[in-house]
Amino acid sequence: MKNIYSWWRPLFAIARVTFQEIVLDKVLYNFLLFAFVLIGVSYLAAQLTFIGQDRVILDFGMSAINLSCGVIGVFAGASMLAREFDRRTIFVALARPITRLQFVLGKFFGLCGVLFLNWILLSIIAALLFVSLDGKVVLTTLYAFFFLWVQSCFLAAFGIFLSSFTTTSIAIM
């Protein structure tokens, strides 16, 4: 039991530092603001339709969540390891008794935490706006919201994977 705990402890320490590092990045707030504006536009676009206002808000809201979380996952994931090499902090981290797998998984879990925070904020706003126009939130809608977060985590994992052996710009493409 002690061996398992000693393996996970550095991983979550790296995840916590990564989470704090990404939250302090100003690019995150630009994407989040863009998603909030897109959700606000969904309300205006819904006012222009005669029928299916809830459908317009749901489509725009899910598109905003998909774009915001996906772009944050790709950009932050692809530049994460390169930033560590540029600042030479990876050498300090790997001088500790941690493996490379722990380091990369810690970075990934930290990014997934940021994506979860972004996803939960945007999902609550979109769901409240959807319910405000007498839309009924069914289980399928909740599944769709959940799988948007799963998709952004896969995009982040793919970005981290590509950035481990290519440059940041190629990994983003």
Side-chain angles (χ1 to χ4, degrees):
M1 184 70 174
K2 185 179 178 186
N3 191 15
I4 293 173
Y5 177 72
S6 65
W7 196 86
W8 285 95
R9 201 173 96 201
L11 191 139
F12 287 122
I14 293 170
R16 186 185 70 239
V17 169
T18 303
F19 180 84
Q20 292 169 349
E21 182 180 293
I22 294 173
V23 166
L24 293 176
D25 196 7
K26 292 181 179 96
V27 175
L28 172 75
Y29 297 113
N30 290 332
F31 291 131
L32 195 60
L33 180 68
F34 172 72
F36 281 132
V37 167
L38 193 57
I39 289 173
V41 166
S42 73
Y43 181 75
L44 296 174
Q47 298 302 319
L48 296 175
T49 63
F50 293 110
I51 53 175
Q53 292 179 342
D54 54 347
R55 178 66 184 198
V56 171
I57 287 182
L58 189 64
D59 288 344
F60 268 89
M62 287 194 170
S63 296
I65 295 168
N66 193 14
L67 276 172
S68 175
C69 291
V71 168
I72 289 170
V74 168
F75 282 132
S79 66
M80 190 178 301
L81 294 179
R83 190 178 319 140
E84 294 292 327
F85 279 111
D86 289 343
R87 289 192 258 161
R88 302 207 186 279
T89 54
I90 194 166
F91 301 120
V92 174
L94 291 178
R96 303 279 182 202
I98 63 168
T99 64
R100 288 176 176 88
L101 179 65
Q102 286 174 318
F103 184 77
V104 172
L105 281 177
K107 290 291 192 181
F108 174 69
F109 287 154
L111 180 56
C112 284
V114 170
L115 290 173
F116 182 77
L117 185 66
N118 184 26
W119 168 78
I120 201 77
L121 285 172
L122 293 173
S123 295
I124 288 172
I125 297 297
L128 287 176
L129 195 58
F130 179 67
V131 169
S132 71
L133 289 176
D134 296 329
K136 293 182 177 80
V137 179
V138 293
L139 192 59
T140 308
T141 307
L142 296 177
Y143 283 150
F145 279 127
F146 172 73
F147 282 118
L148 288 175
W149 176 67
V150 171
Q151 177 188 7
S152 64
C153 287
F154 273 113
L155 288 173
F158 194 66
I160 291 172
F161 170 70
L162 288 178
S163 73
S164 65
F165 58 86
T166 63
T167 62
T168 303
S169 57
I170 292 174
I172 289 174
M173 284 189 260

